[in-house]
Amino acid sequence: MNNEKRIIDAWRTNAEAWVDAIVHQGIRAPGTHSREAILDAINAHAKPPARILDAGCGEGWLVGVLANAGFDVTGVDACHALIDYGRQKVRARFEVGDLANLKPLALGMFDLIVCNFSLFGEASVRRFVQSVPSLLDERGTCIIQTLHPLAFFGPGNYRSQWREGTWAGLPGHFSDPAPWYFRTLSDWAALFRDAGCRIVEIRESGAEPGRVETIVFVIEAG
Ligand SMILES: C[S@@+](CC[C@H](N)C(=O)[O-])C[C@H]1O[C@@H](n2cnc3c(N)ncnc32)[C@H](O)[C@@H]1O
């Protein structure tokens, strides 16, 4: 099976475990590093009632936080079960869709697009990033949080590549991990440039001072 399809299948297979990890195991609880990192970045670049697209929103925790803060939020995810969960819990617009092909959803335009650990593929991520300018209003911003390259590239292995995935570190009963196309920093930058976007800010941080775990790219079209 192709890797892009395996990614989506893995999330569909593990939707229940993912909801449990978020809702009962607190992996996105207030104070957790990646939650605070993405919220800080969003709040630095948008004010309510800005229109926000949460691309790869999962079960909708971030949609809920942003909607409660007064933002006009739309969540999109490829996994029906996660979107169904979000619809039951959060008053916001939710759509099932593949980030690689958002056009059929006719989502409209946004002031901000956020991708919080939702970009895993090679061609699918390229297609999504290429669509970002068509989804952003003139002064719009796209914010992407992902694993920092330093956190996964071992010595002598720094090149963009597919890796077999792992659920290591996540609590609960996960199975069939998805592969992940890891990118070097220069390949992320080339991806944005080829889509007509430019990086306006990079944030690097970790749970402890001096430790880097995630990177947040802030990009704009044009
Ligand atoms: C690690 S979870 C993150 C969910 C959420 N953003 C969060 O912060 O908790 C990754 C999510 O990305 C979604 N996803 C992965 N690839 C996708 C694609 N091509 N199109 C739409 N959703 C995708 C998965 O279904 C899953 O819900």
Side-chain angles (χ1 to χ4, degrees), residues 1 22 28 33 36 74 108 125 140 143 173 178 184 196 203 206 208 216:
M1 192 194 300
I22 301 267
R28 299 279 194 261
H33 158 255
E36 302 307 329
T74 299
V125 170
I143 297 180
H173 302 289
T184 60
R203 295 172 171 226
E208 295 156 23
V216 174

Side-chain angles (χ1 to χ4, degrees), residues 11 18 28 56-58 61 77-78 82 97-99 116-118 120:
W11 285 101
W18 182 252
R28 299 279 194 261
C57 62
W61 73 269
D77 201 281
L82 293 175
D98 185 340
L99 300 186
N116 195 43
F117 295 106
S118 55
F120 301 105

Side-chain angles (χ1 to χ4, degrees), residues 155-188:
N157 198 20
Y158 193 69
R159 60 182 170 79
S160 296
Q161 59 193 276
W162 282 102
R163 289 262 186 95
E164 278 311 308
T166 166
W167 299 111
L170 281 176
H173 302 289
F174 287 88
S175 63
D176 303 329
W180 187 331
Y181 188 76
F182 285 107
R183 287 179 164 82
T184 60
L185 277 181
S186 52
D187 281 350
W188 276 113

Side-chain angles (χ1 to χ4, degrees), residues 30-100:
T32 50
H33 158 255
S34 69
R35 173 191 174 111
E36 302 307 329
I38 197 71
L39 288 175
D40 284 352
I42 293 169
N43 288 320
H45 290 275
K47 297 280 172 277
R51 297 156 299 170
I52 297 186
L53 173 64
D54 185 349
C57 62
E59 47 60 69
W61 73 269
L62 182 56
V63 174
V65 170
L66 296 172
N68 287 340
F71 289 102
D72 175 5
V73 197
T74 299
V76 174
D77 201 281
C79 178
H80 287 74
L82 293 175
I83 289 294
D84 284 347
Y85 185 90
R87 282 182 177 142
Q88 285 166 27
K89 296 283 174 188
V90 181
R91 285 169 63 94
R93 179 180 177 197
F94 284 95
E95 302 284 353
V96 176
D98 185 340
L99 300 186

